[in-house]
Amino acid sequence: MPALTTYQTRILPEWVDYNGHLRDAFYLLIFSYATDALMDRLGLDSQSREASGHSLFTLELHLNYLHEVKLGADVEVHTQIIGHDAKRLHLYHSLHLAGGDKELAGNEQMLLHVDLAGPRSTPFTELTLGRLKTLLDSQADLPTPTYTGRVIALPPAR
C-alpha cells in the first residue's frame, strides 16, 4: 500500500509570498491539517476527544523544503507511520502536486498522546493501537523516507 493521502488543497493567494511561492508557515499549516485527518482516521477526532479527554500534542517536528510550491498548485499530503510506542507516534508527511510522486516538502513529527485533564501523557487505547498497527502493517513495504532522523547542524570545521 502506498503512503496514505491525508489532505488535499489548492495553494491560495494569501498563502504565497512576494515571489509567488508558498510561505514557510503555510507548509506547516498544510501538514497540520494532514495530522488532523490522520487523527480522525485513528479515532482521535473531535467527538472522541470530547468523550475521552485525550488528544495528540506535537513534541517535535522537522520541515524540509525541497522544491518550490507556487500559487494555484493543487497539492496533496501523503502520510507514513514510521513507528509508535504506548504513548508516542512517529510519522512522516510528504507534500506532492496532486497525483504526482515528486516530493516538494517533507515533515517528520513526533506526537504524544495526552490526557487533557492533566495535561499529562497517557497510553493509547487498545482501539487506537489496533488502528495504528493496521496502518503500520499496510505500509510495511514502504521505504523509510529520506528526510527522517535528520539533525540540524553545520558541518564540522576543517
Side-chain angles (χ1 to χ4, degrees), residues 130-143:
R131 289 176 177 166
L132 279 169
K133 182 181 181 333
T134 298
L135 271 176
L136 194 58
D137 289 349
S138 72
Q139 297 179 338
D141 293 338
L142 292 177

Side-chain angles (χ1 to χ4, degrees), residues 62-119:
H62 294 202
L63 187 52
N64 289 277
Y65 305 98
L66 306 173
H67 298 282
E68 297 174 338
V69 178
K70 296 188 177 186
L71 175 63
D74 290 314
V75 295
E76 62 189 24
V77 177
H78 301 171
T79 301
Q80 184 176 346
I81 305 300
I82 304 302
H84 69 85
D85 62 16
K87 298 179 183 181
R88 292 174 297 182
L89 173 58
H90 184 195
L91 64 86
Y92 186 79
H93 294 305
S94 56
L95 185 69
H96 304 263
L97 292 176
D101 291 329
K102 183 178 181 180
E103 187 173 357
L104 306 173
N107 175 229
E108 180 180 18
Q109 296 186 15
M110 183 67 71
L111 307 172
L112 179 67
H113 191 238
V114 172
D115 179 343
L116 299 171

